[in-house]
Amino acid sequence: MKRSRTAALLLMSATPLLLTACGDDESTREGVYTSVESCTAQTHDAATCQQAFDKAKKDAAENSPQFASRETCEVDYGTGKCEQRTDSSGHSFFGPLMTGFFISQMLRGGSPMAGFSSAPAFRTSGGQWQRPDDRNNSVYRSAGGGSGGGVYAGGSRSMTTITSAPDTAVTSSRGGFGSRGGARGGSGE
């Protein structure tokens, strides 16, 4: 009997903390930008845009698709859109030119929170935008390279397609306990 009272008291004391944590108005703002200036125009945060660009440029060599030859790279990314690079181990390869950068940032109450996520963005010969897939570290395989023979032997990250239009910030709300409770209370249900 005493255990159930203690458990009930613990649950009652922890409930306000849980509700407070879930009640914030959080959303995510993300987009792919072709320049720091276009990012600043959309987000009004020049410092974050510059830091995101610098980080993406630094990450481009390590996280871009890597090919053994310029020709196989150009099959996927277009003529004149690939360059020779060297990774941190000193191995040379060919990779697409970074044509933009992706940035994702959490917002609370419409204001940016500290920190952001950024990545280099590449435009394929078909006009699609891609960035390294953070959730998948498997090796990238070129569609133009046949059975992967054209891909750099060291491999590279998988890519994911960016569906949003370039130079446009997209904000998406996060669903959660707090947002549902507020919506119900406001609509009179």
Side-chain angles (χ1 to χ4, degrees), residues 34-48:
T34 55
S35 68
V36 173
E37 292 78 19
S38 64
C39 175
T40 303
Q42 290 289 314
T43 64
H44 308 289
D45 189 352
T48 299

Side-chain angles (χ1 to χ4, degrees), residues 64-67 70-82 94-97 99 121-131 140-142 157-159:
S64 70
Q66 300 175 357
F67 297 86
R70 181 182 305 272
E71 291 76 25
T72 53
C73 178
E74 289 180 344
V75 168
D76 287 352
Y77 293 95
T79 302
K81 305 287 172 86
C82 296
F94 290 90
L97 296 171
T99 51
F122 307 97
R123 191 164 189 182
T124 67
S125 58
Q128 289 185 322
W129 287 87
Q130 298 177 331
R131 65 179 176 94
Y140 174 80
R141 294 290 179 216
S142 167
R157 305 265 316 259
S158 291
M159 304 299 284

Side-chain angles (χ1 to χ4, degrees), residues 10 17 22 27-28 31 36 41 44 60 87 103 108 114 126 131 145 172 178 187:
L10 284 174
L17 290 174
C22 294
S27 57
T28 302
V36 173
H44 308 289
D87 64 16
I103 182 171
R108 179 172 286 155
R131 65 179 176 94
S172 58
S187 65

